[in-house]
Amino acid sequence: MEANENKLITYLESLVPPRNEIVTKMEKLAQEDQVPIMDLVGMETLLQLLMLSQPKHILEIGAAIGYSAIRMAQSIPDVNIVTIERDEHRYLQAKEHIAEAGLEDRIDLIFGDALEVLEQVERKGVFDLIFVDAAKGQYERFFTMYEPLLIDSGVIITDNVLFRGLVAEDHEAIEPKRIRNLVKKIDRYNKWLMDHQDYITTILPVGDGIAISKKRGEKI
Ligand SMILES: C[S@@+](CC[C@H](N)C(=O)[O-])C[C@H]1O[C@@H](n2cnc3c(N)ncnc32)[C@H](O)[C@@H]1O
């Protein structure tokens, strides 16, 4: 079963058209330095969702080296992105990549902990899409902190919600304890998200698991 899944992923990856020079460079860097950028099939799925929904203002929590922000900006020509990264080394790498891609006017990179820069982000206005891709144990806090900045018809997308399939395993059997606790937190987040009265959520078993939460727009 697992071998088939891996084969399928390799097949899907082989169908993805070649990326441009800067994107290819970032993919290579991420692989060499083990930077957890979005996997290729998940990234392509997210871009397709964006092309369908055509957001104009995106907030990304977790920029890493700027890969997903740059890919989103290159796919949607008139989108503006605010993205937050707390790791200084990655922030500086992202800054360099954004400049190299000529996207400084459309990608606003904030250095800091997303749990501490709300006021700074609030000054940027409202968003039609929020992409949550930072510390997995904090997903619910990111969601509740930033969802007030989402427009009524907006969407929140969360990556890694299936955490390599571990959410579907017997949690108590997962080692080490740190991973077990993380899996439990993600599982709780998924259930909380599915039960959220203000959002309709679907989880796609694509990449590392992508949750798409569409705001209902009015209280029910
Ligand atoms: C999975 S990576 C992001 C990958 C990126 N979205 C991409 O696909 O190219 C997660 C990043 O979030 C950052 N991060 C984790 N918790 C954070 C927080 N509370 N505030 C800001 N950044 C955070 C980490 O330093 C890491 O670089």
mmCIF file of all heavy atoms in Angstrom, residues 2 16 28 34 36-37 41 46 52 64 79 101 103 106 109 111 129 137 153 169 175 183 196:
data_model
loop_
_atom_site.group_PDB
_atom_site.id
_atom_site.type_symbol
_atom_site.label_atom_id
_atom_site.label_comp_id
_atom_site.label_asym_id
_atom_site.label_seq_id
_atom_site.Cartn_x
_atom_site.Cartn_y
_atom_site.Cartn_z
ATOM 1 N N GLU A 2 1.848 1.272 0.940
ATOM 2 C CA GLU A 2 2.756 2.405 1.041
ATOM 3 C C GLU A 2 3.585 2.580 -0.241
ATOM 4 O O GLU A 2 3.726 3.679 -0.754
ATOM 5 C CB GLU A 2 3.693 2.221 2.234
ATOM 6 C CG GLU A 2 4.648 3.361 2.409
ATOM 7 C CD GLU A 2 4.637 3.886 3.819
ATOM 8 O OE1 GLU A 2 3.552 3.978 4.412
ATOM 9 O OE2 GLU A 2 5.713 4.187 4.307
ATOM 10 N N VAL A 16 4.622 17.220 -13.175
ATOM 11 C CA VAL A 16 4.623 18.667 -12.907
ATOM 12 C C VAL A 16 5.630 19.337 -13.846
ATOM 13 O O VAL A 16 6.784 18.904 -13.938
ATOM 14 C CB VAL A 16 4.987 18.945 -11.425
ATOM 15 C CG1 VAL A 16 5.076 20.452 -11.155
ATOM 16 C CG2 VAL A 16 3.959 18.308 -10.489
ATOM 17 N N LYS A 28 16.208 23.018 -4.485
ATOM 18 C CA LYS A 28 17.482 22.322 -4.263
ATOM 19 C C LYS A 28 18.029 22.680 -2.873
ATOM 20 O O LYS A 28 18.455 21.819 -2.113
ATOM 21 C CB LYS A 28 18.458 22.748 -5.367
ATOM 22 C CG LYS A 28 19.658 21.886 -5.512
ATOM 23 C CD LYS A 28 20.322 22.112 -6.883
ATOM 24 C CE LYS A 28 21.671 21.433 -6.932
ATOM 25 N NZ LYS A 28 22.761 22.274 -6.424
ATOM 26 N N GLN A 34 17.551 20.628 4.346
ATOM 27 C CA GLN A 34 16.378 20.075 5.041
ATOM 28 C C GLN A 34 15.443 21.162 5.573
ATOM 29 O O GLN A 34 15.067 21.165 6.743
ATOM 30 C CB GLN A 34 16.828 19.155 6.168
ATOM 31 C CG GLN A 34 17.584 17.960 5.615
ATOM 32 C CD GLN A 34 17.913 16.919 6.669
ATOM 33 O OE1 GLN A 34 17.949 17.212 7.840
ATOM 34 N NE2 GLN A 34 18.155 15.718 6.238
ATOM 35 N N PRO A 36 11.799 22.556 5.597
ATOM 36 C CA PRO A 36 10.508 21.910 5.305
ATOM 37 C C PRO A 36 9.561 22.760 4.458
ATOM 38 O O PRO A 36 8.500 23.182 4.911
ATOM 39 C CB PRO A 36 9.934 21.675 6.705
ATOM 40 C CG PRO A 36 10.497 22.790 7.517
ATOM 41 C CD PRO A 36 11.854 23.099 6.951
ATOM 42 N N ILE A 37 9.947 22.997 3.207
ATOM 43 C CA ILE A 37 9.041 23.731 2.309
ATOM 44 C C ILE A 37 7.908 22.791 1.905
ATOM 45 O O ILE A 37 8.017 21.578 2.059
ATOM 46 C CB ILE A 37 9.765 24.267 1.039
ATOM 47 C CG1 ILE A 37 10.360 23.122 0.217
ATOM 48 C CG2 ILE A 37 10.808 25.302 1.415
ATOM 49 C CD1 ILE A 37 10.793 23.523 -1.181
ATOM 50 N N VAL A 41 3.601 18.202 -4.803
ATOM 51 C CA VAL A 41 2.203 17.936 -5.171
ATOM 52 C C VAL A 41 1.256 18.806 -4.336
ATOM 53 O O VAL A 41 0.285 19.365 -4.853
ATOM 54 C CB VAL A 41 1.883 16.421 -5.030
ATOM 55 C CG1 VAL A 41 0.429 16.142 -5.348
ATOM 56 C CG2 VAL A 41 2.787 15.603 -5.957
ATOM 57 N N LEU A 46 -2.210 23.640 -3.985
ATOM 58 C CA LEU A 46 -2.510 24.960 -3.397
ATOM 59 C C LEU A 46 -2.582 26.020 -4.502
ATOM 60 O O LEU A 46 -3.500 26.846 -4.529
ATOM 61 C CB LEU A 46 -1.434 25.334 -2.359
ATOM 62 C CG LEU A 46 -1.542 26.728 -1.744
ATOM 63 C CD1 LEU A 46 -2.853 26.891 -0.975
ATOM 64 C CD2 LEU A 46 -0.374 27.005 -0.798
ATOM 65 N N LEU A 52 -8.171 29.156 -8.867
ATOM 66 C CA LEU A 52 -9.639 29.088 -8.918
ATOM 67 C C LEU A 52 -10.275 30.221 -8.108
ATOM 68 O O LEU A 52 -11.292 30.778 -8.509
ATOM 69 C CB LEU A 52 -10.127 27.737 -8.362
ATOM 70 C CG LEU A 52 -9.841 26.510 -9.219
ATOM 71 C CD1 LEU A 52 -10.114 25.230 -8.444
ATOM 72 C CD2 LEU A 52 -10.701 26.537 -10.481
ATOM 73 N N ALA A 64 9.473 30.376 5.918
ATOM 74 C CA ALA A 64 10.722 29.627 5.732
ATOM 75 C C ALA A 64 11.635 30.437 4.780
ATOM 76 O O ALA A 64 11.899 31.599 5.046
ATOM 77 C CB ALA A 64 10.468 28.203 5.265
ATOM 78 N N VAL A 79 -1.635 39.313 -6.950
ATOM 79 C CA VAL A 79 -1.821 39.071 -5.522
ATOM 80 C C VAL A 79 -0.726 39.771 -4.705
ATOM 81 O O VAL A 79 0.407 39.923 -5.166
ATOM 82 C CB VAL A 79 -1.839 37.542 -5.220
ATOM 83 C CG1 VAL A 79 -0.446 36.934 -5.243
ATOM 84 C CG2 VAL A 79 -2.502 37.254 -3.887
ATOM 85 N N ALA A 101 13.766 37.286 -6.991
ATOM 86 C CA ALA A 101 12.605 37.015 -7.859
ATOM 87 C C ALA A 101 11.933 38.316 -8.306
ATOM 88 O O ALA A 101 10.979 38.280 -9.100
ATOM 89 C CB ALA A 101 11.608 36.131 -7.113
ATOM 90 N N LEU A 103 10.182 40.370 -6.445
ATOM 91 C CA LEU A 103 8.811 40.399 -5.905
ATOM 92 C C LEU A 103 8.698 41.219 -4.615
ATOM 93 O O LEU A 103 7.733 41.073 -3.868
ATOM 94 C CB LEU A 103 8.329 38.959 -5.657
ATOM 95 C CG LEU A 103 8.031 38.151 -6.927
ATOM 96 C CD1 LEU A 103 7.880 36.665 -6.619
ATOM 97 C CD2 LEU A 103 6.772 38.676 -7.623
ATOM 98 N N ARG A 106 5.443 42.977 -3.969
ATOM 99 C CA ARG A 106 4.210 42.204 -3.750
ATOM 100 C C ARG A 106 4.287 41.228 -2.580
ATOM 101 O O ARG A 106 3.277 40.716 -2.137
ATOM 102 C CB ARG A 106 3.826 41.452 -5.033
ATOM 103 C CG ARG A 106 3.355 42.399 -6.131
ATOM 104 C CD ARG A 106 2.504 41.700 -7.152
ATOM 105 N NE ARG A 106 3.243 40.769 -7.972
ATOM 106 C CZ ARG A 106 2.921 39.488 -8.120
ATOM 107 N NH1 ARG A 106 1.892 38.977 -7.497
ATOM 108 N NH2 ARG A 106 3.634 38.710 -8.898
ATOM 109 N N LEU A 109 7.534 40.736 3.766
ATOM 110 C CA LEU A 109 8.061 39.734 4.684
ATOM 111 C C LEU A 109 8.254 40.339 6.071
ATOM 112 O O LEU A 109 8.951 41.346 6.214
ATOM 113 C CB LEU A 109 9.392 39.225 4.122
ATOM 114 C CG LEU A 109 10.196 38.208 4.908
ATOM 115 C CD1 LEU A 109 9.453 36.887 5.051
ATOM 116 C CD2 LEU A 109 11.547 37.962 4.205
ATOM 117 N N PHE A 111 9.599 39.828 9.942
ATOM 118 C CA PHE A 111 10.441 39.009 10.808
ATOM 119 C C PHE A 111 9.845 39.018 12.207
ATOM 120 O O PHE A 111 9.684 40.090 12.808
ATOM 121 C CB PHE A 111 11.873 39.558 10.830
ATOM 122 C CG PHE A 111 12.771 38.860 11.817
ATOM 123 C CD1 PHE A 111 12.860 37.470 11.832
ATOM 124 C CD2 PHE A 111 13.528 39.582 12.725
ATOM 125 C CE1 PHE A 111 13.671 36.819 12.728
ATOM 126 C CE2 PHE A 111 14.351 38.937 13.631
ATOM 127 C CZ PHE A 111 14.424 37.548 13.636
ATOM 128 N N LEU A 129 -7.355 35.280 1.913
ATOM 129 C CA LEU A 129 -6.872 33.917 2.135
ATOM 130 C C LEU A 129 -5.759 33.937 3.189
ATOM 131 O O LEU A 129 -4.885 34.800 3.148
ATOM 132 C CB LEU A 129 -6.356 33.315 0.832
ATOM 133 C CG LEU A 129 -6.064 31.806 0.882
ATOM 134 C CD1 LEU A 129 -6.598 31.108 -0.367
ATOM 135 C CD2 LEU A 129 -4.577 31.514 1.013
ATOM 136 N N GLY A 137 2.116 22.638 16.464
ATOM 137 C CA GLY A 137 1.461 22.602 17.768
ATOM 138 C C GLY A 137 0.646 23.856 18.075
ATOM 139 O O GLY A 137 -0.083 23.901 19.061
ATOM 140 N N SER A 153 -15.993 36.189 2.838
ATOM 141 C CA SER A 153 -15.988 35.063 1.886
ATOM 142 C C SER A 153 -14.631 34.361 1.847
ATOM 143 O O SER A 153 -14.344 33.606 0.921
ATOM 144 C CB SER A 153 -16.342 35.591 0.495
ATOM 145 O OG SER A 153 -15.407 36.595 0.137
ATOM 146 N N GLU A 169 -2.852 6.831 12.817
ATOM 147 C CA GLU A 169 -2.272 5.683 13.547
ATOM 148 C C GLU A 169 -2.766 5.679 14.995
ATOM 149 O O GLU A 169 -3.378 6.647 15.454
ATOM 150 C CB GLU A 169 -0.731 5.794 13.536
ATOM 151 C CG GLU A 169 -0.095 5.774 12.156
ATOM 152 C CD GLU A 169 -0.263 4.450 11.432
ATOM 153 O OE1 GLU A 169 -0.366 3.409 12.100
ATOM 154 O OE2 GLU A 169 -0.306 4.459 10.187
ATOM 155 N N GLU A 175 6.163 6.889 18.829
ATOM 156 C CA GLU A 175 7.388 7.301 19.530
ATOM 157 C C GLU A 175 8.188 8.194 18.600
ATOM 158 O O GLU A 175 8.108 8.032 17.385
ATOM 159 C CB GLU A 175 8.238 6.072 19.894
ATOM 160 C CG GLU A 175 7.609 5.125 20.906
ATOM 161 C CD GLU A 175 7.524 5.689 22.328
ATOM 162 O OE1 GLU A 175 8.126 6.757 22.589
ATOM 163 O OE2 GLU A 175 6.840 5.076 23.143
ATOM 164 N N VAL A 183 1.225 14.878 17.209
ATOM 165 C CA VAL A 183 0.162 14.184 16.468
ATOM 166 C C VAL A 183 -1.180 14.403 17.165
ATOM 167 O O VAL A 183 -2.188 14.718 16.524
ATOM 168 C CB VAL A 183 0.476 12.672 16.347
ATOM 169 C CG1 VAL A 183 -0.725 11.910 15.798
ATOM 170 C CG2 VAL A 183 1.695 12.446 15.451
ATOM 171 N N HIS A 196 -15.990 23.611 13.737
ATOM 172 C CA HIS A 196 -16.090 25.081 13.821
ATOM 173 C C HIS A 196 -17.360 25.556 13.110
ATOM 174 O O HIS A 196 -17.554 25.301 11.922
ATOM 175 C CB HIS A 196 -14.847 25.711 13.187
ATOM 176 C CG HIS A 196 -14.570 27.101 13.668
ATOM 177 N ND1 HIS A 196 -15.508 28.118 13.600
ATOM 178 C CD2 HIS A 196 -13.473 27.646 14.228
ATOM 179 C CE1 HIS A 196 -14.979 29.228 14.094
ATOM 180 N NE2 HIS A 196 -13.758 28.966 14.491
#
